[in-house]
Amino acid sequence: MSRHLARALVLMVGVGLIAACTGSSTSSNQPYSGTTIRVVTFTGPQIAEPLQRRAPDFEKLTGAKVQIITVPFSDLYQKLLTDFATKTNSYDATVFDPQWMGDYVPSGYLEDLSDRVQKDSALQWNDIAPFFRDFSATFKGKVYTVPLDGDFQMVYYRKDLFQKDGIQPPATWDDYIAAAKHFQGKDLNGDGKADYGSCLAMKRSAQSYWAWISIASAYLQSQGTKQGAFFNTDTMQPLTNNPGAAAALDVYKQLSKIGPPDQLNNDVGDSRGLFVTGRCALSLDWGDIGPLAVDKAQSTVQDKVGAIILPGSKRVLDRATGQLADCNATLCPYAINGVNHSPYAAFGGWSGAINAAAPSKVKDAAFAFLSYMSQPAQSSVDVTIGKTGFNPYRNSHFSNQGPWLASGMSAGAASDYLGAIQASLQSPNMVLDLRIPQTAYYQQTALDTALAQFLAGEISLNQAMTQITDQWNKKTDEIGRAQQLAAYRSSLSITK
């Protein structure tokens, strides 16, 4: 009980510091009494759950009432954009995809938080890993969001099954396919039923396009983060119609047939549920499976799960020739044992932002709430709970194993899980997710539609590549190729 009381006192001090920094003149006991903050995010239950759970505690500390409004992920981008553009201002803050800052920031819709984060000692801004501070939170040198989550795609595998059968964790996507085929149809959890070599979320509009990009990155980016994996950084031509993209589509199609019979209709919740109940040997996902695997209420694979950086490829796209070529020191300078790994920061991590048009006191209260959610006292617990959808993003989340061990993870599992994320974070060949105007169209509309049609057999591999490329080029020209190229180069921190 004393530990919880001490934590509450720390939070009170943190909130008091925030109130002081924002110039609030009301009572320090409940500086935002009578204030309501309307925060919109996606339906979840991931992401919405910790906001809803912690809102009453924040109200007790500060007096601010927090309303969490949820909408389907597929609607969130447009609902926000429409609300901002029409000055309806139904929302005071949002927890959203930081990729969309390319649309929201230049139009003046989001509050500049640069001064607030520097003055808020309780937030411990420098404890947030540099990637999430510099990418998820920042646009053209100014801070617009408070990171609440860290997102990387990685591969999970049943360590017990791989060790029993003498199979190494997959270093390449070919290895992944071979291992998945090995386990497909075998009883993996002892219930007498045939199980699956691999479980992926391939449902249209289920963010499944990130899985294909996770595969394609290994073939398309080998020269480091600034090379980019989506467009040519000189011409803004899409990297979606070449032998590298074709190889990734072929892998994706093969994996669609190695898994549950209804895999094309599986959402992320479905694939996670199958994996943690022991029905899958492999899966590709964000950091959520790590904490879910130790949840005794639903998992049967406690301490049986390994996590690794995304598999790579020994052959990559040589942009000079337009062909696939074997890795060498020049083409793949960051290769490990001849394999090019391109860990993909899919999405960039759910982050909180504030409506620039909100009343001043509401902005102060909204920032206090976002800070409260991100502070180590709260976030170090929330990232260990699978249902939150929050994954580690602070240096202390990696260095302090206490909360992970308290959650039920063994020391070995925690080291394995956190090590895979750190290997991705520290990779010089990390792939930054797309963050340009109308990113939602490029990925959620054009790419997602073509992939769904390809997996369903409605269009061929070549037709899929042509369709994606044509639609991306059309949108680029509609917005302005020079403008989009400048935005893309800026997102990769290319200054020359």
Side-chain angles (χ1 to χ4, degrees):
M1 180 64 73
S2 59
R3 187 178 72 230
H4 296 300
L5 178 59
R7 177 175 292 177
L9 290 172
V10 169
L11 297 180
M12 287 290 285
V13 171
V15 172
L17 284 168
I18 294 167
C21 293
T22 54
S24 173
S25 60
T26 55
S27 167
S28 60
N29 290 331
Q30 288 203 323
Y32 305 116
S33 181
T35 304
T36 297
I37 315 162
R38 299 163 300 173
V39 182
V40 65
T41 191
F42 98 114
T43 305
Q46 302 89 357
I47 312 307
E49 187 278 333
L51 301 173
Q52 293 163 335
R53 171 167 43 85
R54 292 199 180 275
D57 293 335
F58 180 76
E59 182 177 359
K60 289 177 184 176
L61 288 171
T62 68
K65 184 175 181 60
V66 184
Q67 293 180 354
I68 306 300
I69 303 161
T70 61
V71 298
F73 177 76
S74 57
D75 297 338
L76 182 58
Y77 165 83
Q78 193 59 48
K79 278 190 175 292
L80 276 171
L81 189 61
T82 301
D83 194 74
F84 289 144
T86 59
K87 302 186 186 304
T88 305
N89 296 322
S90 305
Y91 318 118
D92 304 308
T94 179
V95 176
F96 75 133
D97 181 350
Q99 290 177 275
W100 302 338
M101 282 197 284
D103 288 311
Y104 301 160
V105 172
S107 300
Y109 299 146
L110 301 184
E111 181 81 354
D112 181 352
L113 305 179
S114 303
D115 289 341
R116 294 178 188 265
V117 299
Q118 293 302 329
K119 293 177 180 177
D120 179 11
S121 58
L123 178 57
Q124 297 187 36
W125 186 246
N126 288 333
D127 181 46
I128 296 173
F131 168 74
F132 299 112
R133 287 202 315 265
D134 300 340
F135 180 66
S136 299
T138 305
F139 189 89
K140 293 188 175 179
K142 294 183 178 181
V143 176
Y144 289 93
T145 81
V146 175
L148 301 176
D149 169 43
D151 278 338
F152 279 91
Q153 295 260 285
M154 53 192 190
V155 159
Y156 297 90
Y157 68 100
R158 283 283 299 281
K159 185 180 286 189
D160 58 327
L161 300 177
F162 275 66
Q163 290 176 344
K164 178 175 175 289
D165 289 2
I167 299 174
Q168 293 298 311
T172 68
W173 287 107
D174 288 340
D175 294 340
Y176 185 107
I177 291 171
K181 287 181 175 178
H182 172 82
F183 290 110
Q184 179 72 7
K186 294 184 177 180
D187 180 7
L188 306 180
N189 61 356
D191 65 357
K193 298 178 182 178
D195 293 313
Y196 316 115
S198 171
C199 294
L200 303 180
M202 290 186 160
K203 180 181 179 181
R204 184 174 172 179
S205 300
Q207 310 164 35
S208 56
Y209 49 86
W210 277 304
W212 177 75
I213 299 170
S214 290
I215 298 167
S217 296
Y219 300 92
L220 298 177
Q221 180 181 296
S222 61
Q223 298 281 310
T225 298
K226 289 188 178 182
Q227 186 185 29
F230 296 96
F231 296 92
N232 180 296
T233 55
D234 293 322
T235 65
M236 202 58 186
Q237 277 295 318
L239 298 173
T240 51
N241 195 349
N242 56 60
L249 283 170
D250 179 63
V251 169
Y252 198 49
K253 189 65 168 277
Q254 288 189 61
L255 291 177
S256 74
K257 298 177 179 178
I258 310 172
D262 57 348
Q263 187 160 232
L264 297 189
N265 294 316
N266 277 1
D267 208 331
V268 287
D270 301 313
S271 59
R272 289 170 185 169
L274 287 167
F275 188 89
V276 301
T277 54
R279 302 212 63 193
C280 310
L282 289 152
S283 190
L284 164 67
D285 203 337
W286 286 274
D288 305 77
I289 283 180
L292 287 170
V294 299
D295 183 353
K296 294 180 180 179
Q298 56 183 312
S299 174
T300 63
V301 292
Q302 291 99 344
D303 220 23
K304 297 178 180 178
V305 178
I308 54 171
I309 193 172
L310 283 179
S313 174
K314 294 181 178 180
R315 290 170 60 78
V316 300
L317 178 68
D318 183 340
R319 298 191 189 182
T321 65
Q323 300 299 316
L324 282 180
D326 292 336
C327 271
N328 56 43
T330 302
L331 195 57
C332 306
Y334 306 112
I336 301 171
N337 297 323
V339 176
N340 178 61
H341 293 272
S342 304
Y344 173 39
F347 196 87
W350 289 88
S351 303
I354 297 172
N355 185 349
S360 178
K361 187 171 182 180
V362 175
K363 289 180 186 177
D364 291 346
F367 180 78
F369 178 63
L370 296 176
S371 171
Y372 169 79
M373 292 298 304
S374 182
Q375 289 165 24
Q378 286 69 248
S379 64
S380 64
V381 175
D382 287 344
V383 297
T384 70
I385 304 171
K387 65 182 179 181
T388 65
F390 285 170
N391 303 146
Y393 59 93
R394 287 181 170 273
N395 295 326
S396 56
H397 294 163
F398 296 97
S399 60
N400 178 15
Q401 283 200 5
W404 299 101
L405 300 180
S407 76
M409 269 195 190
S410 67
S415 296
D416 212 33
Y417 169 71
L418 296 172
I421 300 176
Q422 283 186 297
S424 301
L425 268 173
Q426 295 167 359
S427 170
N429 198 37
M430 179 174 61
V431 173
L432 298 183
D433 211 345
L434 191 60
R435 190 172 66 169
I436 59 176
Q438 296 198 38
T439 288
Y441 173 83
Y442 288 94
Q443 291 186 334
Q444 287 177 236
T445 302
L447 179 59
D448 195 36
T449 299
L451 290 173
Q453 291 174 322
F454 171 63
L455 292 181
E458 297 170 8
I459 57 177
S460 68
L461 187 151
N462 286 328
Q463 287 173 325
M465 291 196 298
T466 299
Q467 180 172 310
I468 297 164
T469 304
D470 288 350
Q471 290 183 357
W472 281 21
N473 271 327
K474 183 178 179 181
K475 178 58 67 175
T476 297
D477 290 332
E478 175 188 307
I479 299 171
R481 186 164 294 269
Q483 174 187 329
Q484 290 294 78
L485 177 59
Y488 184 56
R489 289 170 62 89
S490 177
S491 75
L492 297 173
S493 299
I494 299 173
T495 56
K496 294 183 180 179

